[in-house]
Amino acid sequence: MNLHDTRETRDPEARERELMARLPAQIAHARATAPAFGRLLADVDADSVCTREQLATLPVTRKSELLELQKAARPFGGFSAVGWGAACRRVFASPGPLYEPEGARPDYYRLARALRAAGFRAGDLVHNTFSYHLTPAGSMMETAAHALGCTVFPAGVGQTEQQLAAMIDLQPNAYVGTPSFLRILLDKADEMGVKASFTKALVSGEAFPPSLRDAFAARGIEAYQAYATADIGLIAYETEAREGLVVDEDIVLEIVRAGTGDPVAAGEVGEVVVSTFNPDYPLIRFGTGDLSAVLAGGSPCGRTNLRIKGWMGRADQTTKVKGMFVHPGQVAQIMQRHPAIRRARLVVDNPELNDRMTLMCEVAGGGSEALAAAIGASIRELTKLRGDVAFMPQGALANDGKMIDDVRSYA
């Protein structure tokens, strides 16, 4: 087993106690050093937030909200505990643009754990094809590789022929980057009649289907995937078990109903919300906008932390109907008003090019005309739009995290 440290196999209850014991101090730190959290958590008793139930009462700050928040309070919207100087080594831009600080501590993004699980070791030469320009992915992987004692060739993106020439000369044994670019490099090597020197890889940033993983394995490359963001760093990583992604040891991960802060039942698809113990960028209940679900049981590899299915789509399903924005949170409010609804999905279509909303509801007992009328009234009150109600048998709606399904066609 490619363990980074013994915490990966500790007793799950001991891990949970340790994480919950760390929460109060981090919440107090965020409130004291990051002005945005000073406002958001002003009335929170930090010492009382030592259970997941208490954590779930705190507000979720979503990535989709950060753009406007950062415009109002540059550069980081008041969520960073560090500013320009030695404590902030670099600042990066993600699409939006959103800006993220990189602190000066080794392995700032904690991706060394994922590299270790993928078989990376001290003495490896890592061919890093993530961007070093504007966005943080190149630095995220480089700082992790350095933490393991690897040497890094900062290849960056593009310039396939130059990259291949460097591969022939330097013979790197490890690759980091997107799976699609690894395939491009391998195909180019075939064209030139040379054999790529890679034996291991950590890929991220794209879907990594088993078919592509097997294709790499047939070329002698054992490739694993990591799920990370510029804001949080490592969230989860693949292990030799190849069954889901194991959650990092230094975050608290929740899966919540899209548009809300309410945790979903185990196994249900929802938005990934993360609280980090990073002292420089102390994000508390940060909504990534990504959908996933917790897998039951422990990993066959022996690691005992939570496992998630990996990236399953985007949680921000906001759409515009007849000129009005409709949000997943409004669907959640309707469900809260009518507890008989077990699961719901707002389907938006446009027969004869006329927008129509239908709330598909799984309800106990099959529903009634009175309940349909009451739900319809709530739809109109909360969205300012008319909507039909359709009752479905329990289990009819897919467990995919969708609260709004826009199926309109303009053909």
Side-chain angles (χ1 to χ4, degrees), residues 65-102:
E65 302 167 347
L66 274 186
L67 180 60
E68 293 304 317
L69 292 170
Q70 288 195 352
K71 286 180 179 177
R74 295 189 184 278
F76 305 120
F79 290 92
S80 175
V82 297
W84 310 144
C88 184
R89 178 173 293 169
R90 300 182 184 93
V91 58
F92 289 105
S94 295
L98 293 173
Y99 298 101
E100 299 98 8
E102 180 187 296

Side-chain angles (χ1 to χ4, degrees), residues 44-291:
V44 173
D45 176 10
D47 289 339
S48 70
V49 186
C50 53
T51 66
R52 287 184 180 265
E53 292 74 18
Q54 285 296 321
L55 180 63
T57 66
L58 303 186
V60 173
T61 300
R62 289 189 159 81
K63 190 165 190 167
S64 57
E65 302 167 347
L66 274 186
L67 180 60
E68 293 304 317
L69 292 170
Q70 288 195 352
K71 286 180 179 177
R74 295 189 184 278
F76 305 120
F79 290 92
S80 175
V82 297
W84 310 144
C88 184
R89 178 173 293 169
R90 300 182 184 93
V91 58
F92 289 105
S94 295
L98 293 173
Y99 298 101
E100 299 98 8
E102 180 187 296
R105 289 172 294 103
D107 192 23
Y108 176 79
Y109 301 97
R110 307 180 321 285
L111 272 150
R113 187 179 303 281
L115 287 174
R116 180 83 182 181
F120 286 55
R121 296 291 185 272
D124 287 340
L125 176 57
V126 179
H127 191 94
N128 184 3
T129 69
F130 278 119
S131 175
Y132 281 77
H133 176 61
L134 292 178
T135 60
S139 183
M140 292 171 75
M141 290 296 183
E142 179 172 290
T143 52
H146 287 166
L148 291 182
C150 303
T151 299
V152 176
F153 177 71
V157 297
Q159 299 178 308
T160 306
E161 291 187 2
Q162 286 183 325
Q163 294 214 26
L164 193 60
M167 288 165 51
I168 294 170
D169 291 338
L170 298 174
Q171 293 290 294
N173 65 327
Y175 168 93
V176 293
T178 63
S180 61
F181 193 64
L182 176 55
R183 183 168 56 183
I184 288 170
L185 286 175
L186 295 176
D187 289 345
K188 191 66 176 178
D190 288 344
E191 285 180 23
M192 297 179 64
V194 298
K195 186 179 186 304
S197 54
F198 303 135
T199 60
K200 62 189 76 171
L202 183 70
V203 299
S204 191
E206 296 175 349
F208 186 46
S211 59
L212 188 53
R213 179 193 70 201
D214 294 342
F216 291 153
R219 303 284 298 261
I221 303 169
E222 289 295 320
Y224 294 82
Q225 60 182 313
Y227 169 33
T229 70
D231 328 87
I232 297 295
L234 180 65
I235 294 176
Y237 60 100
E238 191 173 24
T239 73
E240 61 265 36
R242 306 286 192 182
E243 292 188 12
L245 305 181
V246 177
V247 172
D248 180 51
E249 295 293 321
D250 288 299
I251 63 170
V252 176
L253 181 141
E254 304 169 88
I255 305 291
V256 308
R257 184 165 289 109
T260 77
D262 304 329
V264 300
E268 188 172 339
V269 177
E271 182 181 7
V272 176
V273 169
V274 176
S275 297
T276 174
F277 295 99
N278 182 346
D280 302 332
Y281 202 29
L283 296 175
I284 306 296
R285 299 206 86 200
F286 181 73
T288 64
D290 296 328
L291 292 173

